[in-house]
Amino acid sequence: MGIVPLILSLIAFGFGFTAWKAKAIEANLPNDGELTDLGDIRINALHVAAPAEGDLPPIVFIHGASGNLKDQEAAFRRPLEGRAEMLFVDRPGHGYSERGGDENGFPDGQADTIARLMDRYGIEKAIIVGHSFGGAIATSFALYHPEKTAGLLLLAPATHPWPGGVDWYYNLAARPYLGRLFTRFLALPAGLVLMEKATHAVFHPNPRPDRYLDGGATALVLRPENFRNNAIDVANLNDYVTRVAPRYSEITAPTLIINGDSDKIVSMDIHAKALTAAVAGAELVVIRGLGHKPDYLATDLAIAGIEKLAGHHRDLQSVARRVEARLAQVVDEPMPDMDFSIEKT
């Protein structure tokens, strides 16, 4: 076989494998949310109705990059069920949500879409919980929809500009034509190979829970359109937060930030500490020995934070020390041999 037929055969195989595997991923990780038509876009969400005697206000959960609603549902639904109305959202273009217009490539556009979704569910005001990239959307939500924001709980948030860019594959996948080619030919098989390393890196130095891959439905991001939408979000983030970060002092909602001091994905110094300094009255709780996933490894602290934002008295520092003691009993995972951090200098 000549070189040209061989190349064409490899391309055909790559496209065919991606199409087949994307369908297989969806079959293995089906949607358990509900698509809501907002007119110009259908947004997928899992709504947990308000309990008869709950002690907390409504809570809206916003997942991070490469995620979907299952990521936060797996962490928070069971311990909070019966206490609050909850809305777990597939951000525009993620999970099973449609992408909508170009405005949804930026955190403020996604915040606007989530605000409209809240209106459809009759949620007038909620505590907004954002993890990682979701922190940029949550802070934008508080800026542009203060009347809907009862409080902000930000878990290892990405909110500020950093001196550098992002990994090459985000920029490539975000490009109009080469990006579509890349996501339909190479991104999915490469992602399958790297999935184990990437998810362990997100939890480093803490062990990744065994349930995370299926419980968090992480493979959904490998589907071509989902991968490309995620890449556009990440590629746009630095310029966006450069524009909006000077306005964080306008946030009036009670704000709580939880961060691990061993987070290698999003720098606490660049993001969480700067946000704490910018927002009047914001409280930063730092956990020694914790990586990028306080939602899973400090769930009790995050829930105590929600309770405090709801007006309950909670000593968050005492809870944080208990989390640290628990983490110290678990053997740290080795440093990953690839850099999966968001900031590339």
Side-chain angles (χ1 to χ4, degrees), residues 9-331:
S9 295
L10 288 173
I11 291 174
F13 175 79
F15 274 77
F17 176 81
T18 293
W20 167 77
K21 190 61 178 179
K23 292 294 185 184
I25 288 171
E26 290 183 351
N28 187 51
L29 301 170
N31 182 21
D32 61 357
E34 180 180 356
L35 280 163
T36 298
D37 191 346
L38 300 180
D40 57 340
I41 184 176
R42 293 190 304 163
I43 291 293
N44 190 60
L46 178 64
H47 179 240
V48 180
E53 298 182 359
D55 64 325
L56 297 171
I59 310 168
V60 175
F61 294 90
I62 305 175
H63 64 81
S66 304
N68 61 85
L69 68 83
K70 295 290 291 181
D71 183 56
Q72 298 296 284
E73 182 209 353
F76 289 109
R77 179 177 180 176
R78 183 175 296 176
L80 284 171
E81 197 148 19
R83 300 188 63 189
E85 180 178 11
M86 292 179 278
L87 190 64
F88 299 92
V89 182
D90 274 341
R91 296 194 284 108
H94 296 260
Y96 286 94
S97 284
E98 295 177 351
R99 181 60 161 182
D102 290 344
E103 69 277 5
N104 284 324
F106 300 90
D108 54 351
Q110 296 194 22
D112 290 345
T113 300
I114 292 170
R116 292 163 58 199
L117 181 68
M118 287 172 60
D119 288 341
R120 287 298 182 94
Y121 278 101
I123 300 173
E124 295 182 359
K125 198 169 188 177
I127 292 174
I128 309 298
V129 179
H131 171 250
S132 192
F133 189 101
I137 298 168
T139 49
S140 292
F141 191 97
L143 277 173
Y144 296 109
H145 303 279
E147 76 287 352
K148 292 182 176 293
T149 310
L152 286 179
L153 176 62
L154 306 174
L155 308 172
T159 55
H160 280 70
W162 62 93
V166 296
D167 261 320
W168 63 270
Y169 58 85
Y170 289 118
N171 291 319
L172 176 58
R175 297 184 66 177
Y177 300 108
L178 286 177
R180 289 185 172 86
L181 179 65
F182 173 67
T183 56
R184 283 166 173 75
F185 172 58
L186 187 59
L188 189 148
L192 289 173
V193 172
L194 294 173
M195 182 67 73
E196 279 288 324
K197 287 185 177 181
T199 52
H200 279 285
V202 169
F203 279 88
H204 176 82
N206 319 114
R208 187 198 72 195
D210 292 337
R211 72 184 192 279
Y212 183 68
L213 285 181
D214 288 335
T218 53
L220 288 175
V221 73
L222 299 179
R223 297 168 301 160
E225 284 302 317
N226 206 158
F227 193 96
R228 178 170 152 74
N229 293 332
N230 185 66
I232 291 170
D233 288 354
V234 174
N236 285 343
L237 182 60
N238 206 355
D239 285 346
Y240 174 81
V241 293
T242 299
R243 297 194 306 272
V244 78
R247 294 192 55 196
Y248 288 151
S249 61
E250 300 173 26
I251 293 175
T252 57
T255 299
L256 173 64
I257 305 159
I258 298 175
N259 227 107
D261 73 348
S262 300
D263 189 340
K264 302 301 183 185
I265 304 299
V266 174
S267 167
M268 178 175 67
D269 290 339
I270 292 174
H271 302 275
K273 288 185 177 179
L275 185 64
T276 305
V279 178
E283 180 181 0
L284 172 61
V285 182
V286 180
I287 305 173
R288 293 188 300 271
L290 176 67
H292 190 57
K293 293 294 282 180
D295 43 353
Y296 278 75
L297 299 175
T299 311
D300 49 348
L301 176 59
I303 291 174
I306 291 171
E307 293 168 341
K308 184 171 183 177
L309 290 170
H312 300 283
H313 175 71
R314 294 293 181 268
D315 183 349
L316 300 184
Q317 295 299 331
S318 293
V319 181
R321 302 295 82 80
R322 292 201 296 270
V323 173
E324 290 172 349
R326 186 170 68 234
L327 293 176
Q329 298 174 9
V330 182
V331 177

